[in-house]
Coordinates of all heavy atoms in Angstrom, one line a residue:
T5 N 110.7 69.0 106.5 CA 109.3 69.0 106.6 C 108.6 68.7 105.3 O 109.2 68.9 104.2 CB 108.8 70.4 107.0 OG1 107.5 70.6 106.9 CG2 109.6 71.6 106.3
H6 N 107.4 68.4 105.2 CA 106.6 68.0 104.1 C 105.6 69.1 103.6 O 104.8 68.9 102.7 CB 105.9 66.7 104.2 CG 106.9 65.5 104.3 ND1 107.5 65.2 105.4 CD2 107.2 64.6 103.4 CE1 108.3 64.1 105.1 NE2 108.2 63.8 104.0
Y7 N 105.7 70.2 104.3 CA 104.7 71.3 104.0 C 105.4 72.3 103.2 O 106.5 72.8 103.4 CB 104.3 71.9 105.4 CG 103.4 73.2 105.0 CD1 102.0 72.9 104.8 CD2 103.9 74.4 105.1 CE1 101.2 74.0 104.5 CE2 102.9 75.5 104.9 CZ 101.7 75.2 104.5 OH 100.9 76.4 104.2
H8 N 104.6 72.7 102.2 CA 105.0 73.8 101.3 C 103.8 74.7 101.2 O 102.7 74.2 101.0 CB 105.4 73.3 100.0 CG 106.7 72.5 99.9 ND1 107.9 73.0 100.1 CD2 106.9 71.1 100.0 CE1 108.8 72.1 100.2 NE2 108.2 70.9 100.1
S9 N 104.1 76.0 101.2 CA 102.9 77.0 101.0 C 102.4 76.9 99.6 O 103.1 76.5 98.7 CB 103.3 78.4 101.5 OG 104.3 78.8 100.5
P10 N 101.1 77.3 99.3 CA 100.6 77.4 98.0 C 101.5 78.3 97.1 O 101.9 78.0 95.9 CB 99.2 77.9 98.2 CG 98.8 77.6 99.5 CD 100.1 77.7 100.4
E11 N 102.1 79.3 97.7 CA 102.8 80.3 96.9 C 104.2 79.7 96.5 O 104.6 79.9 95.4 CB 103.2 81.5 97.8 CG 102.0 82.4 98.2 CD 101.3 81.9 99.4 OE1 101.6 81.0 100.1 OE2 100.2 82.5 99.7
S12 N 104.7 78.9 97.3 CA 106.1 78.2 97.0 C 105.9 77.2 96.0 O 106.7 76.9 95.0 CB 106.8 77.6 98.3 OG 106.1 76.5 98.8
L13 N 104.7 76.5 96.1 CA 104.4 75.5 95.0 C 104.2 75.9 93.7 O 104.7 75.5 92.7 CB 103.1 74.6 95.4 CG 103.3 73.5 96.6 CD1 102.1 73.1 97.0 CD2 104.4 72.5 96.4
L14 N 103.4 77.1 93.7 CA 103.2 77.8 92.4 C 104.6 78.4 91.9 O 104.8 78.3 90.6 CB 102.2 78.9 92.6 CG 100.8 78.5 92.8 CD1 99.9 79.8 93.1 CD2 100.2 77.8 91.5
A15 N 105.3 78.9 92.6 CA 106.7 79.4 92.2 C 107.6 78.2 91.7 O 108.2 78.4 90.6 CB 107.4 80.1 93.3
F16 N 107.5 77.1 92.3 CA 108.2 75.8 91.8 C 107.7 75.4 90.6 O 108.4 75.1 89.6 CB 108.1 74.8 92.9 CG 108.8 73.5 92.5 CD1 110.1 73.4 92.5 CD2 108.1 72.4 92.1 CE1 110.8 72.3 92.0 CE2 108.7 71.3 91.8 CZ 110.1 71.1 91.7
T17 N 106.3 75.5 90.3 CA 105.8 75.1 89.1 C 106.2 76.1 88.0 O 106.5 75.6 86.8 CB 104.1 75.0 89.2 OG1 103.9 74.2 90.2 CG2 103.6 74.6 87.9
Q18 N 106.2 77.3 88.3 CA 106.6 78.3 87.4 C 108.0 78.2 87.0 O 108.4 78.2 85.7 CB 106.4 79.8 88.0 CG 107.0 80.9 87.1 CD 105.9 81.1 85.9 OE1 104.7 81.1 86.2 NE2 106.5 81.5 84.7
D19 N 108.9 77.9 87.9 CA 110.3 77.7 87.5 C 110.4 76.3 86.7 O 111.3 76.3 85.7 CB 111.1 77.5 88.8 CG 111.3 78.9 89.5 OD1 111.0 79.9 88.9 OD2 111.7 78.8 90.7
L20 N 109.8 75.3 87.0 CA 109.9 74.1 86.4 C 109.3 74.0 85.1 O 109.9 73.4 84.1 CB 109.3 72.9 87.3 CG 109.6 71.4 86.9 CD1 111.0 71.1 87.0 CD2 108.7 70.5 87.8
Y21 N 108.1 74.4 84.9 CA 107.5 74.4 83.7 C 107.3 75.7 82.8 O 106.8 75.7 81.7 CB 106.0 73.8 83.9 CG 106.0 72.4 84.4 CD1 105.7 72.3 85.7 CD2 106.4 71.4 83.6 CE1 105.7 70.9 86.3 CE2 106.3 70.0 84.1 CZ 105.9 69.9 85.5 OH 105.9 68.6 86.0
G22 N 107.8 76.8 83.4 CA 107.7 78.1 82.7 C 106.2 78.6 82.8 O 106.0 79.6 82.1
G23 N 105.4 78.1 83.6 CA 104.1 78.6 83.8 C 103.4 77.8 84.9 O 103.8 76.8 85.4
A24 N 102.3 78.4 85.4 CA 101.5 77.7 86.4 C 100.0 77.9 86.2 O 99.7 79.0 85.7 CB 102.0 78.3 87.8
P25 N 99.3 77.0 86.6 CA 97.8 77.2 86.4 C 97.2 78.2 87.4 O 97.8 78.6 88.4 CB 97.2 75.7 86.7 CG 98.2 75.3 87.7 CD 99.6 75.8 87.2
P26 N 96.0 78.6 87.1 CA 95.3 79.4 88.1 C 95.2 78.7 89.4 O 95.0 77.4 89.3 CB 94.0 79.7 87.5 CG 94.1 79.5 86.0 CD 95.2 78.5 85.9
A27 N 95.4 79.1 90.5 CA 95.4 78.5 91.8 C 94.2 78.5 92.5 O 93.5 79.6 92.6 CB 96.6 79.0 92.6
K28 N 93.9 77.4 93.2 CA 92.8 77.3 94.1 C 93.3 76.4 95.2 O 94.0 75.5 95.1 CB 91.5 76.5 93.5 CG 90.8 77.3 92.3 CD 89.7 76.7 91.7 CE 89.1 77.4 90.7 NZ 87.8 76.7 90.2
L29 N 92.9 76.8 96.4 CA 93.3 76.1 97.6 C 92.0 75.3 98.1 O 91.0 75.9 98.4 CB 93.7 77.1 98.7 CG 94.3 76.4 100.0 CD1 95.4 75.6 99.8 CD2 94.5 77.6 101.0
V30 N 92.2 74.1 98.3 CA 91.1 73.1 98.8 C 91.7 72.7 100.2 O 92.6 72.2 100.4 CB 90.8 71.9 97.9 CG1 89.8 71.0 98.6 CG2 90.6 72.4 96.6
V31 N 90.8 73.0 101.1 CA 91.1 72.6 102.6 C 90.0 71.8 103.2 O 88.8 72.0 103.0 CB 91.2 74.0 103.4 CG1 91.5 73.7 104.9 CG2 92.1 74.9 102.8
G32 N 90.4 70.8 103.9 CA 89.5 69.9 104.6 C 89.7 70.0 106.1 O 90.8 70.2 106.6
S33 N 88.6 69.7 106.8 CA 88.7 69.8 108.2 C 88.8 68.3 108.9 O 88.3 67.5 108.2 CB 87.5 70.4 108.9 OG 87.4 71.8 108.5
A34 N 89.3 68.2 110.0 CA 89.5 66.9 110.7 C 88.3 66.8 111.5 O 88.0 67.8 112.2 CB 90.9 66.9 111.5
F35 N 87.8 65.6 111.7 CA 86.6 65.3 112.6 C 87.0 64.4 113.8 O 86.5 64.6 114.8 CB 85.4 64.6 111.8 CG 85.1 65.4 110.5 CD1 85.4 65.0 109.3 CD2 84.5 66.6 110.6 CE1 85.0 65.7 108.1 CE2 84.1 67.3 109.6 CZ 84.4 66.9 108.3
Q36 N 87.9 63.5 113.6 CA 88.2 62.5 114.7 C 89.7 62.4 114.6 O 90.3 62.4 113.6 CB 87.7 61.3 114.5 CG 86.1 61.1 114.8 CD 85.7 59.6 114.6 OE1 85.6 59.2 113.5 NE2 85.2 59.1 115.7
F37 N 90.3 62.2 115.8 CA 91.7 62.0 115.9 C 92.2 60.7 116.5 O 93.3 60.5 116.9 CB 92.4 63.2 116.7 CG 92.4 64.4 115.9 CD1 91.3 65.3 116.1 CD2 93.3 64.8 114.9 CE1 91.2 66.6 115.4 CE2 93.2 66.0 114.1 CZ 92.2 66.9 114.5
G38 N 91.2 59.8 116.7 CA 91.4 58.5 117.3 C 92.2 57.6 116.4 O 92.2 57.8 115.2
P39 N 93.0 56.6 116.9 CA 93.8 55.7 116.0 C 92.7 54.9 115.2 O 91.7 54.4 115.7 CB 94.6 54.8 117.0 CG 93.8 55.0 118.3 CD 93.1 56.2 118.3
S40 N 93.1 54.7 113.9 CA 92.4 53.9 113.1 C 93.2 53.5 111.8 O 94.0 54.2 111.5 CB 91.2 54.6 112.7 OG 90.3 53.8 111.7
Q41 N 92.8 52.4 111.1 CA 93.5 52.1 109.9 C 92.8 52.6 108.6 O 93.3 52.5 107.5 CB 93.7 50.5 109.8 CG 94.6 49.9 110.9 CD 96.0 50.3 110.7 OE1 96.5 50.4 109.7 NE2 96.6 50.7 111.9
Q42 N 91.7 53.2 108.9 CA 91.0 53.7 107.7 C 90.2 55.0 108.1 O 90.0 55.3 109.2 CB 89.9 52.6 107.3 CG 89.0 52.1 108.2 CD 88.1 51.0 107.8 OE1 88.3 50.5 106.6 NE2 87.3 50.4 108.6
L43 N 89.7 55.7 107.0 CA 88.9 57.0 107.2 C 87.6 56.6 107.6 O 87.0 55.6 107.2 CB 88.9 57.7 106.0 CG 90.2 58.2 105.3 CD1 89.9 58.8 103.9 CD2 90.8 59.2 106.2
S44 N 87.1 57.5 108.5 CA 85.6 57.4 108.8 C 84.8 57.6 107.6 O 85.2 58.2 106.7 CB 85.3 58.4 110.0 OG 85.3 59.7 109.4
E45 N 83.5 57.3 107.6 CA 82.6 57.5 106.6 C 82.6 58.9 106.2 O 82.6 59.3 105.0 CB 81.3 56.9 106.8 CG 80.3 57.0 105.7 CD 80.8 56.3 104.4 OE1 81.4 55.3 104.5 OE2 80.2 56.6 103.3
R46 N 82.5 59.7 107.2 CA 82.4 61.3 107.1 C 83.6 61.7 106.4 O 83.5 62.6 105.4 CB 82.1 61.9 108.4 CG 81.9 63.3 108.4 CD 81.6 63.9 109.8 NE 81.4 65.3 109.7 CZ 81.2 66.0 110.9 NH1 81.2 65.5 112.0 NH2 81.0 67.3 110.7
A47 N 84.8 61.3 106.8 CA 86.0 61.8 106.1 C 86.2 61.3 104.7 O 86.7 62.0 103.8 CB 87.1 61.3 107.0
R48 N 85.7 60.1 104.5 CA 85.8 59.5 103.2 C 84.9 60.3 102.2 O 85.4 60.7 101.1 CB 85.3 58.0 103.1 CG 85.6 57.4 101.8 CD 84.9 56.0 101.7 NE 83.4 56.1 101.9 CZ 82.6 56.5 101.0 NH1 83.1 57.0 99.8 NH2 81.2 56.6 101.4
R49 N 83.7 60.7 102.6 CA 83.0 61.6 101.7 C 83.4 62.9 101.5 O 83.4 63.4 100.4 CB 81.4 61.7 102.4 CG 80.6 60.5 102.3 CD 79.2 60.7 102.7 NE 79.0 61.4 104.0 CZ 78.8 60.9 105.2 NH1 78.7 59.6 105.2 NH2 78.6 61.6 106.3
A50 N 84.1 63.5 102.6 CA 84.7 64.8 102.4 C 85.9 64.7 101.4 O 86.0 65.7 100.6 CB 85.2 65.4 103.7
V51 N 86.7 63.7 101.5 CA 87.8 63.5 100.6 C 87.3 63.4 99.2 O 87.8 64.0 98.2 CB 88.7 62.3 101.0 CG1 89.8 61.9 99.9 CG2 89.3 62.6 102.3
E52 N 86.2 62.5 99.0 CA 85.6 62.4 97.7 C 85.1 63.7 97.1 O 85.4 63.9 95.9 CB 84.5 61.4 97.7 CG 85.0 60.0 97.8 CD 83.9 59.0 98.0 OE1 82.7 59.4 98.0 OE2 84.2 57.7 98.0
E53 N 84.5 64.5 97.9 CA 84.0 65.9 97.5 C 85.1 66.7 97.1 O 85.1 67.4 96.1 CB 83.2 66.5 98.5 CG 81.8 65.8 98.7 CD 81.0 66.4 100.0 OE1 81.4 67.6 100.4 OE2 80.2 65.7 100.5
M54 N 86.3 66.8 97.8 CA 87.4 67.5 97.6 C 88.0 67.0 96.3 O 88.4 68.0 95.4 CB 88.4 67.6 98.8 CG 88.0 68.4 100.0 SD 89.2 68.5 101.3 CE 89.3 66.8 101.9
A55 N 88.2 65.8 96.1 CA 88.8 65.3 94.8 C 87.9 65.6 93.7 O 88.5 66.0 92.6 CB 89.0 63.8 94.9
A56 N 86.6 65.7 93.8 CA 85.8 66.1 92.7 C 85.9 67.5 92.3 O 86.1 68.0 91.1 CB 84.3 65.7 93.1
L57 N 86.0 68.3 93.4 CA 86.3 69.8 93.1 C 87.7 70.0 92.4 O 87.8 70.9 91.6 CB 86.4 70.5 94.5 CG 85.0 70.8 95.1 CD1 85.2 71.3 96.5 CD2 84.2 71.8 94.4
V58 N 88.6 69.3 92.8 CA 90.0 69.4 92.1 C 89.9 69.0 90.6 O 90.4 69.6 89.8 CB 91.1 68.7 92.9 CG1 92.3 68.6 92.1 CG2 91.2 69.3 94.2
A59 N 89.2 67.8 90.4 CA 89.2 67.2 89.2 C 88.3 68.2 88.3 O 88.7 68.4 87.1 CB 88.4 65.8 89.1
E60 N 87.3 68.8 88.8 CA 86.3 69.8 88.0 C 87.3 70.9 87.5 O 87.2 71.6 86.5 CB 85.2 70.2 88.8 CG 84.3 71.1 88.2 CD 83.1 71.5 89.1 OE1 82.6 70.6 89.7 OE2 82.7 72.7 89.1
S61 N 88.1 71.5 88.5 CA 88.9 72.8 88.2 C 90.1 72.5 87.3 O 90.4 73.3 86.6 CB 89.4 73.2 89.5 OG 90.4 72.5 90.2
L62 N 90.5 71.2 87.2 CA 91.5 70.9 86.3 C 91.0 70.4 84.9 O 91.9 70.3 84.0 CB 92.4 69.7 86.8 CG 93.3 70.1 88.2 CD1 94.0 69.0 88.7 CD2 94.2 71.3 87.9
A63 N 89.8 70.2 84.7 CA 89.2 69.7 83.5 C 89.5 70.7 82.4 O 89.3 71.8 82.5 CB 87.7 69.6 83.6
G64 N 90.2 70.1 81.4 CA 90.5 71.0 80.2 C 91.8 71.7 80.4 O 92.1 72.4 79.4
Y65 N 92.5 71.6 81.5 CA 93.8 72.3 81.6 C 94.9 71.6 81.0 O 94.9 70.4 81.0 CB 94.1 72.5 83.2 CG 95.4 73.1 83.4 CD1 95.5 74.5 83.2 CD2 96.6 72.4 83.6 CE1 96.9 75.1 83.4 CE2 97.8 72.9 83.8 CZ 98.0 74.3 83.6 OH 99.1 74.9 83.8
S66 N 95.6 72.3 80.3 CA 96.9 71.9 79.7 C 98.0 72.6 80.1 O 98.2 73.8 80.1 CB 96.6 72.1 78.1 OG 97.9 71.8 77.4
T67 N 99.1 71.8 80.4 CA 100.4 72.4 80.8 C 101.0 73.1 79.7 O 101.5 74.3 79.9 CB 101.4 71.3 81.2 OG1 100.8 70.5 82.3 CG2 102.7 71.9 81.8
R68 N 101.0 72.7 78.5 CA 101.5 73.4 77.3 C 100.8 74.6 77.2 O 101.4 75.7 76.9 CB 101.3 72.5 76.1 CG 102.2 71.4 76.1 CD 102.0 70.5 74.9 NE 102.8 69.3 75.0 CZ 103.0 68.4 74.0 NH1 102.4 68.7 72.8 NH2 103.6 67.3 74.3
K69 N 99.5 74.8 77.3 CA 98.7 76.1 77.3 C 99.3 77.0 78.3 O 99.5 78.2 78.1 CB 97.2 75.8 77.5 CG 96.4 77.0 77.2 CD 94.9 76.8 77.7 CE 94.4 75.5 77.5 NZ 92.9 75.4 77.8
A70 N 99.5 76.6 79.6 CA 99.9 77.5 80.6 C 101.4 78.0 80.3 O 101.7 79.1 80.5 CB 99.9 76.8 82.0
V71 N 102.3 77.0 79.7 CA 103.6 77.6 79.5 C 103.5 78.6 78.3 O 104.2 79.5 78.4 CB 104.5 76.3 79.0 CG1 105.7 76.8 78.4 CG2 104.7 75.4 80.1
R72 N 102.8 78.4 77.3 CA 102.6 79.4 76.2 C 102.1 80.7 76.7 O 102.6 81.7 76.4 CB 101.8 78.8 75.1 CG 102.5 77.9 74.1 CD 101.7 77.6 73.0 NE 101.0 76.4 73.7 CZ 99.9 75.7 73.1 NH1 99.4 76.2 72.0 NH2 99.3 74.8 73.7
S73 N 101.0 80.6 77.6 CA 100.4 81.9 77.9 C 101.3 82.7 79.0 O 101.3 83.8 78.9 CB 99.1 81.7 78.5 OG 99.2 80.9 79.8
S74 N 102.1 82.1 79.7 CA 102.9 82.7 80.7 C 104.2 83.2 80.0 O 104.9 84.1 80.5 CB 103.3 81.9 81.8 OG 104.1 80.7 81.4
A75 N 104.7 82.6 78.8 CA 105.8 83.0 78.1 C 105.6 84.3 77.3 O 106.5 85.0 76.9 CB 106.3 81.9 77.2
V76 N 104.4 84.7 77.1 CA 104.1 85.9 76.3 C 104.2 87.1 77.0 O 104.2 87.3 78.3 CB 102.6 85.8 75.8 CG1 102.2 87.1 75.1 CG2 102.4 84.6 74.9

């Protein structure tokens, strides 16, 4: 399976890097399930909004900072 819970991903990050960032879960809803080769305009806008939220929450985050802070 390709699904991992947020908790397991944070635990993996902690094991791999010795620290993990503060966690946020971003969830999107599906609008249409018909066959298509591309996203609908509505879905494309939703993905862009979610990507902007993720980028904003990661701005200024440093892996090294997390490793140092969790090692203390």
Side-chain angles (χ1 to χ4, degrees):
T5 174
H6 290 82
Y7 175 80
H8 296 281
S9 70
E11 296 86 357
S12 68
L13 291 173
L14 288 169
F16 179 70
T17 303
Q18 178 72 38
D19 291 345
L20 188 62
Y21 297 106
K28 293 183 180 184
L29 181 62
V30 178
V31 178
S33 298
F35 303 109
Q36 285 182 293
F37 293 95
S40 178
Q41 294 294 318
Q42 56 191 355
L43 293 173
S44 68
E45 183 61 26
R46 185 176 180 185
R48 187 191 59 73
R49 284 193 312 266
V51 168
E52 287 177 356
E53 290 175 21
M54 288 186 289
L57 286 170
V58 170
E60 182 180 315
S61 71
L62 293 175
Y65 176 76
S66 167
T67 303
R68 292 181 187 188
K69 186 187 332 179
V71 170
R72 276 183 279 171
S73 65
S74 67
V76 174

